[in-house]
Protein backbone atom coordinates (compact mmCIF):
# COMPACT_ATOMS: atom_id res chain seq x y z
CA UNK A 1 0.00 0.00 0.00
CA UNK A 2 1.04 3.61 -0.61
CA UNK A 3 0.69 5.47 2.67
CA UNK A 4 0.13 9.22 2.38
CA UNK A 5 0.19 11.81 5.16
CA UNK A 6 -1.76 15.04 4.83
CA UNK A 7 1.05 17.59 5.35
CA UNK A 8 -1.37 20.21 6.66
CA UNK A 9 -2.60 18.09 9.55
CA UNK A 10 0.03 15.37 9.90
CA UNK A 11 -2.80 12.83 9.74
CA UNK A 12 -2.93 9.82 7.44
CA UNK A 13 -5.02 9.96 4.28
CA UNK A 14 -6.67 6.80 2.89
CA UNK A 15 -3.96 4.46 1.62
CA UNK A 16 -3.75 3.41 -2.02
CA UNK A 17 -2.93 -0.05 -3.37
CA UNK A 18 0.55 -0.44 -4.83
CA UNK A 19 1.39 -2.63 -7.81
CA UNK A 20 3.91 -5.42 -7.50
CA UNK A 21 6.82 -5.57 -9.94
CA UNK A 22 5.03 -8.34 -11.84
CA UNK A 23 1.89 -6.23 -12.17
CA UNK A 24 3.93 -3.20 -13.23
CA UNK A 25 5.75 -5.21 -15.88
CA UNK A 26 2.44 -6.50 -17.22
CA UNK A 27 1.17 -2.91 -17.47
CA UNK A 28 4.34 -1.92 -19.37
CA UNK A 29 3.77 -4.84 -21.77
CA UNK A 30 0.23 -3.57 -22.41
CA UNK A 31 1.40 -0.05 -23.18
CA UNK A 32 4.23 -1.36 -25.36
CA UNK A 33 1.67 -3.40 -27.30
CA UNK A 34 -0.20 -0.18 -28.04
CA UNK A 35 2.82 1.46 -29.67
CA UNK A 36 2.27 0.22 -33.24
CA UNK A 37 -1.30 1.49 -33.32
CA UNK A 38 -0.44 4.82 -31.70
CA UNK A 39 2.54 5.38 -33.98
CA UNK A 40 0.27 4.70 -36.92
CA UNK A 41 -2.01 7.59 -36.08
CA UNK A 42 -1.47 10.79 -38.01
CA UNK A 43 -0.10 13.91 -36.34
CA UNK A 44 -3.55 15.46 -36.75
CA UNK A 45 -5.19 12.56 -34.90
CA UNK A 46 -2.72 12.79 -32.02
CA UNK A 47 -3.16 16.56 -31.89
CA UNK A 48 -6.92 16.22 -31.66
CA UNK A 49 -6.57 13.90 -28.68
CA UNK A 50 -4.12 16.23 -26.94
CA UNK A 51 -6.55 19.10 -27.40
CA UNK A 52 -9.25 16.93 -25.89
CA UNK A 53 -6.94 16.20 -22.94
CA UNK A 54 -6.50 19.95 -22.42
CA UNK A 55 -10.28 20.40 -22.30
CA UNK A 56 -10.64 17.58 -19.75
CA UNK A 57 -7.91 19.07 -17.56
CA UNK A 58 -9.68 22.43 -17.48
CA UNK A 59 -12.96 20.72 -16.68
CA UNK A 60 -11.33 18.84 -13.82
CA UNK A 61 -8.98 21.52 -12.50
CA UNK A 62 -10.82 22.17 -9.22
CA UNK A 63 -10.68 18.50 -8.30
CA UNK A 64 -7.02 18.14 -9.26
CA UNK A 65 -6.07 21.29 -7.32
CA UNK A 66 -7.87 19.99 -4.24
CA UNK A 67 -6.08 16.64 -4.43
CA UNK A 68 -2.71 18.42 -4.68
CA UNK A 69 -3.58 20.50 -1.62
CA UNK A 70 -4.47 17.38 0.35
CA UNK A 71 -1.57 15.16 -0.72
CA UNK A 72 1.39 17.56 -0.94
CA UNK A 73 0.20 20.87 0.45
CA UNK A 74 0.08 23.08 -2.66
CA UNK A 75 -2.18 26.12 -2.20
CA UNK A 76 -5.35 25.63 -4.22
CA UNK A 77 -4.87 28.87 -6.14
CA UNK A 78 -1.43 27.62 -7.26
CA UNK A 79 -2.88 24.22 -8.10
CA UNK A 80 -5.52 25.76 -10.35
CA UNK A 81 -2.82 27.71 -12.20
CA UNK A 82 -0.73 24.53 -12.53
CA UNK A 83 -3.57 22.64 -14.21
CA UNK A 84 -4.24 25.55 -16.55
CA UNK A 85 -0.57 25.66 -17.54
CA UNK A 86 -0.61 21.90 -18.11
CA UNK A 87 -3.58 22.22 -20.46
CA UNK A 88 -1.65 24.89 -22.37
CA UNK A 89 1.28 22.49 -22.71
CA UNK A 90 -0.96 19.87 -24.30
CA UNK A 91 -2.36 22.45 -26.71
CA UNK A 92 1.10 23.80 -27.55
CA UNK A 93 2.37 20.43 -28.73
CA UNK A 94 -0.90 19.68 -30.49
CA UNK A 95 -0.41 22.87 -32.51
CA UNK A 96 3.34 22.71 -33.08
CA UNK A 97 4.42 19.07 -32.83
CA UNK A 98 4.06 18.26 -36.52
CA UNK A 99 6.23 21.24 -37.52
CA UNK A 100 8.88 20.40 -34.92
CA UNK A 101 9.18 16.86 -36.30
CA UNK A 102 8.84 17.60 -39.99
CA UNK A 103 11.47 15.82 -42.14
CA UNK A 104 14.49 17.96 -43.04
CA UNK A 105 16.23 17.70 -46.42
CA UNK A 106 20.04 17.62 -46.28
CA UNK A 107 22.25 17.74 -49.36
CA UNK A 108 24.55 14.76 -50.04
CA UNK A 109 25.66 12.54 -52.90
CA UNK A 110 22.18 10.97 -52.97
CA UNK A 111 19.42 11.95 -55.34
CA UNK A 112 17.48 12.75 -52.18
CA UNK A 113 18.61 12.62 -48.55
CA UNK A 114 16.80 13.75 -45.46
CA UNK A 115 16.35 13.25 -41.72
CA UNK A 116 13.10 12.11 -40.16
CA UNK A 117 12.09 11.72 -36.52
CA UNK A 118 10.17 8.52 -35.78
CA UNK A 119 9.32 7.66 -32.15
CA UNK A 120 11.39 5.30 -30.02
CA UNK A 121 8.65 3.21 -28.43
CA UNK A 122 7.53 3.16 -24.81
CA UNK A 123 9.00 5.83 -22.55
CA UNK A 124 9.04 5.63 -18.74
CA UNK A 125 8.52 8.86 -16.83
CA UNK A 126 9.56 8.86 -13.17
CA UNK A 127 8.02 11.99 -11.71
CA UNK A 128 8.17 13.94 -8.41
CA UNK A 129 5.49 15.24 -6.07
CA UNK A 130 6.07 19.02 -6.13
CA UNK A 131 4.18 19.75 -9.39
CA UNK A 132 2.45 16.45 -10.13
CA UNK A 133 0.20 17.68 -12.95
CA UNK A 134 2.57 20.09 -14.72
CA UNK A 135 5.61 17.82 -14.61
CA UNK A 136 3.50 14.95 -15.93
CA UNK A 137 2.24 16.98 -18.89
CA UNK A 138 5.74 18.30 -19.56
CA UNK A 139 6.73 14.66 -20.07
CA UNK A 140 3.58 13.26 -21.64
CA UNK A 141 2.54 15.89 -24.18
CA UNK A 142 5.68 15.95 -26.35
CA UNK A 143 6.37 12.23 -26.00
CA UNK A 144 2.84 11.30 -27.05
CA UNK A 145 2.72 13.82 -29.87
CA UNK A 146 5.95 12.30 -31.23
CA UNK A 147 4.22 8.89 -31.37
CA UNK A 148 5.63 7.24 -28.26
CA UNK A 149 3.51 5.46 -25.70
CA UNK A 150 4.08 6.45 -22.08
CA UNK A 151 4.23 4.80 -18.68
CA UNK A 152 4.06 7.30 -15.83
CA UNK A 153 5.36 6.50 -12.37
CA UNK A 154 4.17 9.27 -10.07
CA UNK A 155 5.66 9.90 -6.63
CA UNK A 156 4.04 7.83 -3.84
CA UNK A 157 3.12 11.13 -2.13
CA UNK A 158 0.49 11.93 -4.78
CA UNK A 159 -1.27 8.70 -5.82
CA UNK A 160 -4.78 10.14 -6.04
CA UNK A 161 -3.66 13.17 -8.03
CA UNK A 162 -1.82 10.94 -10.50
CA UNK A 163 -4.72 8.56 -10.87
CA UNK A 164 -7.16 11.40 -11.49
CA UNK A 165 -4.81 12.95 -14.04
CA UNK A 166 -4.62 9.80 -16.13
CA UNK A 167 -8.42 9.52 -16.00
CA UNK A 168 -8.51 12.86 -17.83
CA UNK A 169 -6.52 11.26 -20.67
CA UNK A 170 -8.90 8.32 -20.85
CA UNK A 171 -12.00 10.54 -20.82
CA UNK A 172 -10.43 12.51 -23.67
CA UNK A 173 -10.21 9.31 -25.74
CA UNK A 174 -6.55 8.38 -25.30
CA UNK A 175 -6.47 4.55 -25.21
CA UNK A 176 -5.47 2.80 -21.99
CA UNK A 177 -2.70 0.99 -23.87
CA UNK A 178 -1.09 4.33 -24.78
CA UNK A 179 -0.79 6.01 -21.36
CA UNK A 180 -0.70 4.32 -17.98
CA UNK A 181 -0.04 5.44 -14.43
CA UNK A 182 1.77 2.81 -12.39
CA UNK A 183 1.25 3.19 -8.65
CA UNK A 184 4.42 1.55 -7.36
CA UNK A 185 6.88 2.11 -4.55
CA UNK A 186 10.19 3.74 -5.42
CA UNK A 187 12.18 0.50 -5.17
CA UNK A 188 9.91 -1.12 -7.77
CA UNK A 189 10.20 1.90 -10.09
CA UNK A 190 13.95 1.55 -10.38
CA UNK A 191 13.52 -2.03 -11.57
CA UNK A 192 11.08 -0.95 -14.28
CA UNK A 193 13.92 0.82 -16.09
CA UNK A 194 15.34 -2.59 -16.98
CA UNK A 195 12.14 -3.75 -18.67
CA UNK A 196 13.18 -4.61 -22.25
CA UNK A 197 10.23 -2.75 -23.74
CA UNK A 198 11.10 0.52 -21.98
CA UNK A 199 13.12 2.36 -24.62
CA UNK A 200 13.90 5.63 -22.80
CA UNK A 201 13.56 7.29 -19.39
CA UNK A 202 12.53 10.75 -18.25
CA UNK A 203 13.28 11.56 -14.61
CA UNK A 204 12.61 14.64 -12.51
CA UNK A 205 13.86 14.60 -8.94
CA UNK A 206 16.87 14.88 -6.71
CA UNK A 207 20.44 14.85 -7.98
CA UNK A 208 21.29 11.79 -5.90
CA UNK A 209 18.40 9.77 -7.33
CA UNK A 210 19.22 11.11 -10.79
CA UNK A 211 22.70 9.65 -10.64
CA UNK A 212 21.23 6.22 -9.92
CA UNK A 213 18.67 6.53 -12.70
CA UNK A 214 21.33 7.71 -15.17
CA UNK A 215 23.60 4.78 -14.35
CA UNK A 216 20.83 2.25 -14.74
CA UNK A 217 19.56 3.72 -18.01
CA UNK A 218 23.10 3.88 -19.39
CA UNK A 219 23.69 0.26 -18.48
CA UNK A 220 20.79 -0.63 -20.75
CA UNK A 221 21.94 1.84 -23.43
CA UNK A 222 18.68 3.74 -23.00
CA UNK A 223 18.52 7.50 -23.55
CA UNK A 224 17.46 9.56 -20.55
CA UNK A 225 16.44 13.11 -19.75
CA UNK A 226 17.23 14.21 -16.19
CA UNK A 227 15.81 17.38 -14.62
CA UNK A 228 17.39 17.47 -11.17
CA UNK A 229 17.97 19.88 -8.30
CA UNK A 230 19.07 23.48 -8.37
CA UNK A 231 20.66 26.17 -6.24
CA UNK A 232 19.67 29.04 -8.50
CA UNK A 233 21.54 32.34 -8.12
CA UNK A 234 20.00 35.76 -8.64
CA UNK A 235 22.12 38.91 -8.99
CA UNK A 236 20.56 42.23 -7.96
CA UNK A 237 22.42 45.33 -9.08
CA UNK A 238 21.93 48.84 -7.70
CA UNK A 239 20.52 50.18 -10.97
CA UNK A 240 17.66 47.65 -11.07
CA UNK A 241 13.96 48.39 -10.60
CA UNK A 242 14.14 47.34 -6.95
CA UNK A 243 10.44 47.23 -6.12
CA UNK A 244 9.64 44.98 -9.07
CA UNK A 245 12.74 42.87 -8.50
CA UNK A 246 12.00 42.27 -4.82
CA UNK A 247 8.38 41.39 -5.52
CA UNK A 248 9.43 38.83 -8.17
CA UNK A 249 12.27 37.41 -6.03
CA UNK A 250 9.85 36.92 -3.13
CA UNK A 251 7.33 35.23 -5.42
CA UNK A 252 9.99 32.98 -6.93
CA UNK A 253 11.28 31.85 -3.56
CA UNK A 254 7.83 31.27 -2.02
CA UNK A 255 5.94 29.50 -4.83
CA UNK A 256 4.83 26.07 -3.62
CA UNK A 257 6.31 26.88 -0.18
CA UNK A 258 9.72 27.12 -1.81
CA UNK A 259 9.58 23.56 -3.14
CA UNK A 260 10.69 24.40 -6.67
CA UNK A 261 13.91 23.45 -8.43
CA UNK A 262 14.04 26.72 -10.39
CA UNK A 263 13.26 29.08 -7.50
CA UNK A 264 15.73 31.81 -6.51
CA UNK A 265 17.77 30.32 -3.68
CA UNK A 266 20.96 32.44 -3.51
CA UNK A 267 20.59 36.21 -3.88
CA UNK A 268 23.67 38.36 -4.52
CA UNK A 269 23.09 42.05 -3.80
CA UNK A 270 25.33 44.99 -4.68
CA UNK A 271 26.80 46.41 -1.48
CA UNK A 272 25.43 49.95 -1.90
CA UNK A 273 21.81 48.70 -1.67
CA UNK A 274 22.41 45.68 0.55
CA UNK A 275 20.89 46.98 3.79
CA UNK A 276 17.91 48.47 1.97
CA UNK A 277 17.24 45.21 0.16
CA UNK A 278 17.55 43.07 3.31
CA UNK A 279 15.05 45.27 5.15
CA UNK A 280 12.63 45.30 2.21
CA UNK A 281 12.76 41.49 1.97
CA UNK A 282 12.27 41.20 5.74
CA UNK A 283 9.09 43.25 5.43
CA UNK A 284 7.80 41.17 2.53
CA UNK A 285 8.59 37.83 4.18
CA UNK A 286 6.98 38.93 7.46
CA UNK A 287 3.66 39.62 5.72
CA UNK A 288 3.37 36.16 4.17
CA UNK A 289 0.75 33.92 5.75
CA UNK A 290 1.22 30.17 6.20
CA UNK A 291 -1.79 27.93 6.66
CA UNK A 292 -4.26 25.46 5.16
CA UNK A 293 -3.56 25.34 1.40
CA UNK A 294 -7.29 25.00 0.75
CA UNK A 295 -7.82 28.47 2.27
CA UNK A 296 -7.09 30.95 -0.51
CA UNK A 297 -6.19 33.69 1.99
CA UNK A 298 -2.95 31.84 2.78
CA UNK A 299 0.22 32.46 0.77
CA UNK A 300 2.05 29.26 1.73
CA UNK A 301 1.03 25.75 2.59
CA UNK A 302 3.14 23.16 4.44
CA UNK A 303 6.15 21.30 3.14
CA UNK A 304 5.21 17.96 1.65
CA UNK A 305 6.80 15.71 4.30
CA UNK A 306 8.20 15.90 7.80
CA UNK A 307 11.67 14.74 6.74
CA UNK A 308 11.88 17.54 4.17
CA UNK A 309 11.05 20.12 6.83
CA UNK A 310 13.58 18.65 9.27
CA UNK A 311 16.33 18.66 6.64
CA UNK A 312 15.56 22.28 5.74
CA UNK A 313 15.65 23.36 9.38
CA UNK A 314 19.00 21.64 9.83
CA UNK A 315 20.41 23.60 6.87
CA UNK A 316 19.13 26.85 8.39
CA UNK A 317 20.48 26.05 11.84
CA UNK A 318 23.92 25.11 10.51
CA UNK A 319 24.09 28.32 8.48
CA UNK A 320 23.26 30.44 11.53
CA UNK A 321 25.87 28.61 13.57
CA UNK A 322 28.40 29.41 10.82
CA UNK A 323 27.69 33.15 11.03
CA UNK A 324 24.59 33.90 8.98
CA UNK A 325 21.97 36.25 10.44
CA UNK A 326 18.33 35.25 10.37
CA UNK A 327 16.09 38.30 9.93
CA UNK A 328 12.79 36.44 9.89
CA UNK A 329 11.66 32.84 10.35
CA UNK A 330 14.13 30.08 11.12
CA UNK A 331 12.07 28.41 13.86
CA UNK A 332 10.15 25.15 13.77
CA UNK A 333 6.45 25.93 14.34
CA UNK A 334 4.69 24.17 17.20
CA UNK A 335 1.50 23.70 15.14
CA UNK A 336 0.44 20.40 13.60
CA UNK A 337 1.49 19.63 10.04
CA UNK A 338 4.80 20.20 8.28
CA UNK A 339 4.87 23.99 8.08
CA UNK A 340 8.05 26.04 7.87
CA UNK A 341 8.03 29.84 8.01
CA UNK A 342 9.39 32.14 5.31
CA UNK A 343 13.04 32.48 6.35
CA UNK A 344 15.53 35.16 5.38
CA UNK A 345 19.22 34.40 5.93
CA UNK A 346 21.61 37.31 5.32
CA UNK A 347 25.38 37.72 5.35
CA UNK A 348 25.63 34.30 3.73
CA UNK A 349 29.02 33.11 2.50
CA UNK A 350 30.42 30.10 0.65
CA UNK A 351 30.81 27.09 2.92
CA UNK A 352 27.53 27.65 4.76
CA UNK A 353 24.97 24.88 4.38
CA UNK A 354 22.23 27.01 2.82
CA UNK A 355 24.75 28.39 0.31
CA UNK A 356 26.30 25.09 -0.74
CA UNK A 357 23.25 22.82 -0.69
CA UNK A 358 19.88 22.96 -2.40
CA UNK A 359 17.31 24.36 0.05
CA UNK A 360 13.92 22.93 -0.88
CA UNK A 361 11.64 25.22 1.10
CA UNK A 362 10.89 28.90 1.81
CA UNK A 363 14.47 29.94 2.69
CA UNK A 364 16.37 32.69 0.86
CA UNK A 365 20.13 33.15 1.22
CA UNK A 366 21.41 36.73 0.73
CA UNK A 367 25.06 37.68 0.14
CA UNK A 368 26.59 41.17 -0.39
CA UNK A 369 28.86 41.68 -3.39
CA UNK A 370 31.10 44.55 -4.47
CA UNK A 371 31.17 43.93 -8.22
CA UNK A 372 29.27 42.06 -10.89
CA UNK A 373 32.38 40.02 -11.62
CA UNK A 374 32.41 38.79 -8.00
CA UNK A 375 28.71 38.02 -8.17
CA UNK A 376 29.23 35.90 -11.27
CA UNK A 377 32.08 34.07 -9.60
CA UNK A 378 29.92 33.22 -6.58
CA UNK A 379 26.87 32.43 -8.70
CA UNK A 380 28.87 29.82 -10.59
CA UNK A 381 30.44 28.43 -7.40
CA UNK A 382 28.02 25.52 -7.27
CA UNK A 383 27.73 21.95 -8.54
CA UNK A 384 24.27 22.82 -9.85
CA UNK A 385 23.35 24.64 -13.03
CA UNK A 386 19.58 24.81 -13.54
CA UNK A 387 18.53 28.47 -13.65
CA UNK A 388 20.01 31.90 -12.95
CA UNK A 389 18.81 35.49 -13.13
CA UNK A 390 20.04 39.08 -13.04
CA UNK A 391 18.28 42.38 -12.40
CA UNK A 392 19.91 45.46 -13.95
CA UNK A 393 19.23 48.26 -16.44
CA UNK A 394 22.77 48.12 -17.82
CA UNK A 395 23.14 46.42 -21.19
CA UNK A 396 26.84 45.88 -20.51
CA UNK A 397 25.98 44.07 -17.28
CA UNK A 398 23.37 41.97 -19.05
CA UNK A 399 25.84 41.00 -21.78
CA UNK A 400 28.48 40.06 -19.22
CA UNK A 401 26.02 37.98 -17.20
CA UNK A 402 24.51 36.01 -20.07
CA UNK A 403 27.99 35.22 -21.36
CA UNK A 404 29.31 33.96 -18.01
CA UNK A 405 26.44 32.45 -16.00
CA UNK A 406 26.67 28.66 -16.12
CA UNK A 407 23.12 27.31 -16.16
CA UNK A 408 20.49 25.89 -18.46
CA UNK A 409 18.24 28.96 -18.19
CA UNK A 410 18.96 32.65 -17.62
CA UNK A 411 16.29 35.24 -16.90
CA UNK A 412 17.01 38.97 -17.22
CA UNK A 413 14.76 41.27 -15.16
CA UNK A 414 12.27 38.47 -14.63
CA UNK A 415 11.57 35.13 -13.01
CA UNK A 416 13.13 31.83 -14.06
CA UNK A 417 10.19 29.71 -15.14
CA UNK A 418 9.27 26.77 -17.34
CA UNK A 419 7.36 27.63 -20.49
CA UNK A 420 6.09 25.12 -23.08
CA UNK A 421 7.63 27.27 -25.83
CA UNK A 422 11.18 27.24 -24.44
CA UNK A 423 13.61 24.39 -23.60
CA UNK A 424 14.11 23.68 -19.92
CA UNK A 425 16.92 21.75 -18.24
CA UNK A 426 20.28 22.06 -16.55
CA UNK A 427 23.95 21.19 -16.46
CA UNK A 428 26.15 19.60 -13.81
CA UNK A 429 24.21 18.13 -10.89
CA UNK A 430 21.07 19.70 -12.34
CA UNK A 431 20.96 17.03 -15.02
CA UNK A 432 21.05 16.81 -18.80
CA UNK A 433 18.73 16.76 -21.76
CA UNK A 434 15.90 19.22 -22.33
CA UNK A 435 12.17 19.26 -21.90
CA UNK A 436 9.70 21.59 -23.63
CA UNK A 437 10.13 23.74 -26.71
CA UNK A 438 11.14 22.24 -30.07
CA UNK A 439 14.19 20.67 -28.40
CA UNK A 440 12.10 18.74 -25.86
CA UNK A 441 10.00 16.83 -28.38
CA UNK A 442 13.17 15.60 -30.12
CA UNK A 443 14.61 13.94 -27.00
CA UNK A 444 12.64 10.73 -27.46
CA UNK A 445 12.79 10.21 -31.22
CA UNK A 446 15.14 8.43 -33.57
CA UNK A 447 17.07 11.02 -35.59
CA UNK A 448 16.98 8.82 -38.68
CA UNK A 449 19.00 9.47 -41.84
CA UNK A 450 17.38 8.51 -45.15
CA UNK A 451 19.66 8.22 -48.24
CA UNK A 452 18.14 7.50 -51.66
CA UNK A 453 20.41 6.71 -54.62
Amino acid sequence: MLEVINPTTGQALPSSPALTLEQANAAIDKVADGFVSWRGKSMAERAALLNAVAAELREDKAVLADFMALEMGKPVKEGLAEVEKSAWCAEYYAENGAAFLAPETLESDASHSYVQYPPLGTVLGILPWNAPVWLALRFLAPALMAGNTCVMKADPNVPTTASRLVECFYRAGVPENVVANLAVANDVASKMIDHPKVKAVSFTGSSRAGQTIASQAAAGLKPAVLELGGSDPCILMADADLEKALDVITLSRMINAGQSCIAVKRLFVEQSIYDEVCEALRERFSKLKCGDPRDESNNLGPLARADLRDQLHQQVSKSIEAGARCLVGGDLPSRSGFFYPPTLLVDMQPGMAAFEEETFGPVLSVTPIQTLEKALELANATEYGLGASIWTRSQASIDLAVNHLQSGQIAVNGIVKSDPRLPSGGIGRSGYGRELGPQGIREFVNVQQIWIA
Side-chain angles (χ1 to χ4, degrees):
M1 302 296 286
L2 302 178
E3 307 293 339
V4 183
I5 302 296
N6 183 334
T8 303
T9 64
Q11 302 299 310
L13 293 169
S15 57
S16 301
L19 300 179
T20 64
L21 178 59
E22 291 73 20
Q23 291 170 322
N25 283 337
I28 293 172
D29 287 335
K30 179 179 177 180
V31 172
D33 289 344
F35 171 63
V36 172
S37 175
W38 182 250
R39 176 182 179 170
K41 289 187 178 296
S42 68
M43 283 288 193
E45 289 174 310
R46 292 181 216 147
L49 286 168
L50 280 181
N51 281 324
V53 168
E56 288 294 336
L57 288 172
R58 291 195 174 97
E59 182 71 23
D60 215 32
K61 66 181 178 181
V63 175
L64 287 165
D66 193 59
F67 284 156
M68 285 188 275
L70 283 173
E71 293 186 318
M72 50 74 58
K74 186 185 294 290
V76 164
K77 55 188 175 183
E78 292 183 15
L80 293 170
E82 178 177 325
V83 179
E84 187 65 37
K85 185 176 181 179
S86 303
W88 174 32
C89 185
E91 291 169 338
Y92 174 77
Y93 280 107
E95 180 180 356
N96 297 287
F100 291 156
L101 298 179
E104 298 178 56
T105 297
L106 297 174
E107 295 299 325
S108 74
D109 60 347
S111 62
H112 181 43
S113 52
Y114 62 98
V115 173
Q116 63 181 9
Y117 301 96
L120 292 179
T122 297
V123 184
L124 169 63
I126 303 176
L127 306 174
W129 48 264
N130 59 324
V133 178
W134 166 243
L135 296 178
L137 264 293
R138 194 171 73 172
F139 156 63
L140 292 169
L144 290 171
M145 190 62 195
N148 299 291
T149 55
C150 295
V151 176
M152 183 180 87
K153 184 272 170 191
D155 191 275
N157 265 39
V158 288
T160 308
T161 304
S163 176
R164 184 79 181 197
L165 171 63
V166 171
E167 287 175 13
C168 290
F169 279 78
Y170 298 155
R171 290 199 301 271
V174 178
E176 293 187 15
N177 65 350
V178 170
V179 175
N181 169 54
L182 304 189
V184 299
N186 289 334
D187 61 331
V188 173
S190 64
K191 298 172 184 174
M192 289 158 48
I193 297 172
D194 296 329
H195 192 294
K197 294 180 181 177
V198 168
K199 301 303 181 183
V201 180
S202 177
F203 174 77
T204 302
S206 71
S207 299
R208 180 181 299 177
Q211 288 177 299
T212 302
I213 298 293
S215 297
Q216 195 168 350
L221 299 179
K222 300 180 181 184
V225 170
L226 306 177
E227 204 267 33
L228 310 179
S231 186
D232 285 14
C234 175
I235 299 170
L236 181 57
M237 303 301 291
D239 64 346
D241 180 341
L242 290 184
E243 288 299 310
K244 180 180 179 181
L246 294 173
D247 285 344
V248 171
I249 289 166
T250 300
L251 172 66
S252 174
R253 182 63 281 205
M254 296 301 155
I255 288 175
N256 201 25
Q259 299 167 118
S260 169
C261 296
I262 55 174
V264 172
K265 298 185 173 80
R266 297 178 297 139
L267 177 62
F268 300 100
V269 181
E270 195 166 1
Q271 184 69 64
S272 62
I273 57 169
Y274 182 71
D275 291 340
E276 175 188 355
V277 165
C278 289
E279 175 57 24
L281 286 170
R282 187 197 65 78
E283 291 177 0
R284 283 168 169 77
F285 280 32
S286 298
K287 293 176 182 177
L288 296 172
K289 185 181 176 184
C290 297
D292 187 340
R294 302 168 91 181
D295 181 347
E296 294 198 21
S297 68
N298 293 321
N299 305 106
L300 283 77
L303 300 192
R305 300 194 309 264
D307 63 305
L308 298 172
R309 181 191 62 177
D310 294 344
Q311 179 183 351
L312 182 68
H313 186 59
Q314 186 178 53
Q315 291 170 314
V316 170
S317 299
K318 285 183 176 180
S319 298
I320 294 172
E321 290 170 6
R325 289 188 296 130
C326 184
L327 298 189
V328 63
D331 296 316
L332 279 175
S334 58
R335 65 194 297 178
S336 60
F338 310 139
F339 292 91
Y340 200 80
T343 298
L344 183 62
L345 298 178
V346 302
D347 301 347
M348 290 290 294
Q349 296 296 327
M352 296 179 179
F355 188 100
E356 301 292 341
E357 303 168 10
E358 180 180 26
T359 50
F360 216 59
V363 176
L364 181 63
S365 161
V366 188
T367 302
I369 48 97
Q370 297 292 339
T371 65
L372 175 55
E373 288 77 7
K374 184 61 177 179
L376 293 170
E377 177 188 331
L378 292 174
N380 291 332
T382 176
E383 295 180 318
Y384 297 100
L386 194 54
S389 55
I390 182 171
W391 290 82
T392 179
R393 289 186 172 95
S394 165
Q395 187 60 51
S397 296
I398 293 170
D399 292 343
L400 187 64
V402 299
N403 285 320
H404 287 83
L405 284 168
Q406 298 170 7
S407 63
Q409 297 174 240
I410 300 174
V412 178
N413 296 327
I415 192 171
V416 175
K417 61 185 178 182
S418 53
D419 182 319
R421 298 166 293 188
L422 300 171
S424 178
I427 60 174
R429 286 179 61 82
S430 291
Y432 52 74
R434 293 295 180 265
E435 296 180 293
L436 303 175
Q439 292 78 13
I441 198 172
R442 290 187 176 184
E443 288 285 357
F444 297 128
V445 296
N446 174 14
V447 181
Q448 188 177 56
Q449 176 211 124
I450 309 297
W451 186 97
I452 301 173

